[in-house]
Amino acid sequence: MCGFVAFIQNSPVVDLDSARRAVNTMIHRGPNAGGEWREQDVCLFHRRLSIIDLATGDQPMQSGNQRYVIVFNGEIYNYRELRAQLGDEGVRFKTRSDTEVIVEGFRHWGESVVGRLNGIFAFVIWDRQERRVFVARDRLGIKPLSWTIKDGALIVTSTLEPFEVLKGFKDVDPVAVRDLLVFDYIPSPRTILEGVRKLEPGCQFAWEFGEGPPTITRYWSPPDENVNATPPSSEELEELLDRAIARQMISDVPVGAFLSGGIDSSLLVALMVRHSAKPVRTFSCAFAESAVNESPIAELVARQFQTDHVVLQAEEIGGNALLSLFSTLDEPLADPALIPTYALSKMTGLHVRVALSGDGGDEVFGGYPKYLQSMNPRRAWPLGSQLDSVLRSVSWRPRGMHSLYWRTLSAHDLYSWSNSRFGDFPVFPKDLRQLIDPAHHERLQVHSFFSPWQEKADKYGHSWNADLFMRVDLETYLTENCLVKTDRASMLASLEVRVPFLDEMILDRILPLSADKKIINGELKPLLKQLAKCLLPPDVWNRPKHGFDVPVPNWLAGKWKPALDKVLEWGEEHVGVFNYSYLRRLQKENEKNRQTGRYLWNPFVLLAWMMSRTVKI
């Protein structure tokens, strides 16, 4: 994996020294090599984490005829097949890298090369002859890409770190703040920075000097439900996964795996051992204070498949380390699982440079209990609107009303209630209007708090069912939270993470299936469980689903309390967007009963991130 910055400018909007400082903010994404290409005022910079073709794969890279220049982040898993096709059509190669396959593919096939790429990627190709740039990002946004227009120049970056050292990018987008508080993440195309946008997954654009904002087109979307599609047999699914894993293990450096003890990661390991001459390196994280500690299950799997297994004890993460982690993020992310994911990545990176992860298995195969709820809708209690009006008429939010309030909600409103941290709900502790100072309600567009999710859902019709939820989760929770968390955490440790459950072979076969063929008789992920029963011990598949269970309320009231106090005190002095009496109430309640800490978390993450920077809102 890598990081890049491209300055497509007709005049020096960004000077060379600033440009070089900008790319050096991403050294952690590419510690092995750095490169730059300049012609007049167009500048392409790259930082490289060397994985394939260590000797001749440096970037920026020019095409054989010198017309095109590329900077690229990611891996193309079918690059050998594409290389052979191009070779048959007369293309000659100078390197063994997948980067050269992309740029020569673009030279030969034009923009349609994107549809031929199977992998994880974000790239910029500059056409020196036409003075035109082409930008693209992979189907599910596994690799990041952001862009902006500044004084007629286009700036394209892997992540937001370069904007820290560039002038004119210090304003925080207030609606992005709302999104972070509501969803734990900032949905595309917004970023935390005003005026800077993410390129949405499955999208591309071309741009020339003199144009305004680029016209973005989508080359891939999650397919609609196909009622005639039949689920794969265990044998077919095993073959698909085996092929995906085999090609995602291609590397010129050592490869390992995250092993949680769940079905997804355990299946990866079971199939990885078939393609490794040496014991597979596996890594897991344990929480002694957590209600659920999966490390014994992970060790059971490691023993069965004779892996070289290492376990990290997560209790070492203190308040200062926490604030340091927040300060390194290009934008705030409020999923607490970021913390163990980073710790696990840091440990893993000491042993291997590439790791496979089970991300995506739940979204693709139907692994979340919320999908079951959508299959069995309930009727709301009567008099809901009257209760809502009464609660909004009083200034104080009494404790305990949320347990009654949610029962009065319609199926639509119940989904927004269940899938948002805060919202326009007149109950403690989920009341976004109470959390935000009234002077900022309009700036943060509190009234439309769930609109980013709803806009994605509207593309799939208005039937609120499991099919819709699973497809929207691909574009929201998976892409904007899980994959961002894994990318940022792993790249801070200079570790490349690959996700075989999101391989194109798997997506093309499984996504068209209707929900009732992925969730059968109330059983989540039956397709994967059927395969797991053949390959894994019962302790893995015959138990409830668990994730990273970070004890946030306990730690915010305990060892992280000094960090929380420091951040809230700074926020009261510098950031006026919050109602700090409400935040202090959340803190007091959490210290008393350890129940509101998760609601403190998102404001804490945002303020800690802002405290480490000179941004303003």
Side-chain angles (χ1 to χ4, degrees):
M1 295 302 167
C2 309
F4 61 75
V5 187
F7 299 94
I8 312 301
Q9 48 189 9
N10 247 337
S11 59
V13 173
V14 177
D15 63 81
L16 184 58
D17 286 342
S18 296
R20 286 172 173 163
R21 287 198 304 273
V23 72
N24 284 335
T25 63
M26 296 190 294
I27 284 180
H28 58 279
R29 296 190 71 90
N32 301 128
E36 63 180 73
W37 180 91
R38 292 181 287 125
E39 188 170 69
Q40 298 175 21
D41 291 308
V42 174
C43 308
L44 277 66
F45 297 85
H46 191 265
R47 293 296 319 184
R48 186 182 185 203
L49 177 63
S50 304
I51 303 296
I52 292 176
D53 190 3
L54 308 186
T56 62
D58 287 347
Q59 301 180 45
M61 182 180 290
Q62 288 187 252
S63 59
N65 64 358
Q66 305 295 300
R67 174 174 172 176
Y68 303 102
V69 189
I70 185 173
V71 282
F72 157 60
N73 172 28
E75 301 291 349
I76 306 302
Y77 302 129
N78 66 333
Y79 80 98
R80 291 174 174 173
E81 296 92 328
L82 294 177
R83 180 188 177 100
Q85 291 177 31
L86 289 166
D88 290 343
E89 297 179 27
V91 177
R92 296 294 175 262
F93 292 89
K94 300 178 181 179
T95 76
R96 296 183 297 105
S97 71
D98 51 354
T99 307
E100 189 178 17
V101 169
I102 299 174
V103 72
E104 293 298 337
F106 183 82
R107 172 187 171 189
H108 196 73
W109 296 312
E111 296 179 7
S112 67
V113 67
V114 177
R116 298 172 182 259
L117 301 177
N118 293 333
I120 53 181
F121 58 84
F123 64 80
V124 175
I125 296 178
W126 172 243
D127 183 341
R128 299 173 62 201
Q129 178 176 308
E130 297 294 333
R131 295 186 63 77
R132 185 171 183 265
V133 68
F134 179 70
V135 179
R137 190 179 181 198
D138 65 62
R139 290 182 178 190
L140 288 176
I142 299 167
K143 291 293 100 185
L145 189 146
S146 298
W147 65 272
T148 191
I149 301 286
K150 178 179 172 59
D151 298 332
L154 174 70
I155 304 174
V156 186
T157 74
S158 292
T159 54
L160 300 180
E161 285 105 335
F163 294 105
E164 295 175 23
V165 299
L166 299 178
K167 295 179 181 179
F169 299 100
K170 299 300 182 183
D171 291 339
V172 168
D173 184 336
V175 179
V177 168
R178 177 206 67 187
D179 290 346
L180 177 74
L181 297 173
V182 171
F183 298 109
D184 299 345
Y185 56 85
I186 300 170
S188 298
R190 291 189 187 277
T191 72
I192 191 65
L193 298 178
E194 188 82 66
V196 182
R197 290 290 179 261
K198 298 165 189 154
L199 181 63
E200 294 190 76
C203 288
Q204 63 186 40
F205 69 78
W207 185 85
E208 299 180 23
F209 291 117
E211 293 185 358
T215 299
I216 295 170
T217 58
R218 181 172 289 277
Y219 69 86
W220 185 86
S221 294
D224 292 331
E225 169 192 359
N226 180 357
V227 295
N228 297 317
T230 58
S233 64
S234 289
E235 293 76 16
E236 181 189 355
L237 183 57
E238 181 177 352
E239 181 184 357
L240 283 173
L241 281 172
D242 191 69
R243 288 170 55 199
I245 289 167
R247 73 179 187 180
Q248 293 202 21
M249 289 179 68
I250 294 173
S251 171
D252 293 333
V253 296
V255 178
F258 293 159
L259 177 57
S260 69
I263 288 176
D264 302 339
S265 65
S266 299
L267 280 175
L268 292 186
V269 171
L271 297 175
M272 284 178 71
V273 298
R274 301 176 179 179
H275 305 284
S276 179
K278 298 179 180 179
V280 172
R281 305 296 302 271
T282 55
F283 308 87
S284 63
C285 191
F287 284 90
E289 296 181 28
S290 173
V292 178
N293 184 3
E294 293 195 303
S295 58
I297 308 298
E299 292 182 27
L300 176 66
V301 174
R303 286 196 301 272
Q304 173 165 328
F305 295 102
Q306 299 180 328
T307 72
D308 185 354
H309 189 58
V310 182
V311 180
L312 169 73
Q313 296 298 325
E315 273 61 41
E316 309 266 334
I317 303 164
N320 290 334
L322 184 67
L323 295 181
S324 177
L325 173 59
F326 292 156
S327 72
T328 61
L329 296 176
D330 66 321
E331 71 177 4
L333 178 69
D335 184 347
L338 169 74
I339 301 162
T341 304
Y342 169 66
L344 181 61
S345 297
K346 188 175 180 181
M347 177 187 70
T348 303
L350 298 175
H351 302 274
V352 298
R353 202 178 290 177
V354 178
L356 270 57
S357 166
D359 282 337
D362 289 315
E363 290 80 6
V364 173
F365 287 90
Y368 293 128
K370 63 183 177 180
Y371 301 146
L372 293 176
Q373 297 170 7
S374 66
M375 291 179 159
N376 299 284
R378 59 161 191 85
R379 298 186 64 178
W381 284 8
L383 305 179
S385 59
Q386 290 90 329
L387 178 62
D388 185 88
S389 298
V390 170
L391 291 173
R392 291 181 188 277
S393 67
V394 296
S395 58
W396 184 254
R397 299 292 181 247
R399 286 180 53 199
M401 290 302 297
H402 68 283
S403 60
L404 174 64
Y405 180 81
W406 74 267
R407 299 176 187 275
T408 71
L409 298 175
S410 66
H412 183 285
D413 290 338
L414 180 61
Y415 196 85
S416 62
W417 164 278
S418 301
N419 290 274
S420 57
R421 193 69 53 197
F422 295 95
D424 193 3
F425 306 115
V427 292
F428 180 83
K430 290 178 72 82
D431 191 347
L432 186 58
R433 291 185 182 274
Q434 293 272 321
L435 176 69
I436 302 300
D437 184 278
H440 296 273
H441 285 182
E442 287 302 314
R443 291 183 68 212
L444 271 65
Q445 300 180 24
V446 170
H447 61 283
S448 57
F449 72 96
F450 208 58
S451 59
W453 193 95
Q454 187 67 60
E455 289 169 5
K456 296 285 196 304
D458 287 345
K459 298 190 303 183
Y460 298 103
H462 301 285
S463 298
W464 282 66
N465 55 35
D467 285 299
L468 179 142
F469 298 148
M470 292 171 70
R471 283 170 171 77
V472 177
D473 268 358
L474 286 172
E475 298 189 60
T476 55
Y477 179 69
L478 174 66
T479 292
E480 310 289 5
N481 185 333
C482 300
L483 296 177
V484 170
K485 171 192 67 187
T486 299
D487 175 82
R488 302 311 191 270
S490 61
M491 292 309 299
L492 284 173
S494 300
L495 174 74
E496 175 180 309
V497 174
R498 301 177 181 176
V499 282
F501 284 106
L502 301 179
D503 191 286
E504 281 83 352
M505 290 188 295
I506 306 299
L507 297 180
D508 291 344
R509 182 64 179 91
I510 303 300
L511 290 186
L513 298 176
S514 58
D516 60 3
K517 294 172 183 174
K518 300 178 190 177
I519 303 173
I520 302 173
N521 297 325
E523 182 182 21
L524 297 171
K525 290 201 294 194
L527 297 177
L528 287 182
K529 283 185 179 178
Q530 187 176 1
L531 181 57
K533 290 176 182 179
C534 299
L535 301 178
L536 303 174
D539 299 61
V540 174
W541 48 264
N542 191 24
R543 63 192 181 94
K545 173 181 172 54
H546 300 291
F548 268 142
D549 184 20
V550 182
V552 167
N554 290 343
W555 289 0
L556 282 179
K559 64 179 180 181
W560 289 347
K561 185 179 185 300
L564 175 61
D565 288 336
K566 177 181 179 180
V567 166
L568 290 181
E569 289 170 7
W570 179 88
E572 285 185 287
E573 184 176 349
H574 295 92
V575 181
V577 72
F578 289 112
N579 175 356
Y580 287 92
S581 65
Y582 195 76
L583 282 175
R584 293 297 185 185
R585 183 185 176 195
L586 286 170
Q587 183 181 25
K588 183 178 179 180
E589 291 288 339
N590 186 62
E591 291 174 358
K592 183 190 306 181
N593 55 33
R594 305 296 199 271
Q595 292 181 2
T596 56
R598 190 58 185 85
Y599 297 95
L600 269 172
W601 183 254
N602 292 29
F604 170 53
V605 170
L606 173 67
L607 290 171
W609 182 86
M610 293 184 68
M611 188 173 71
S612 69
R613 285 163 169 75
T614 57
V615 296
K616 61 183 185 299
I617 182 171

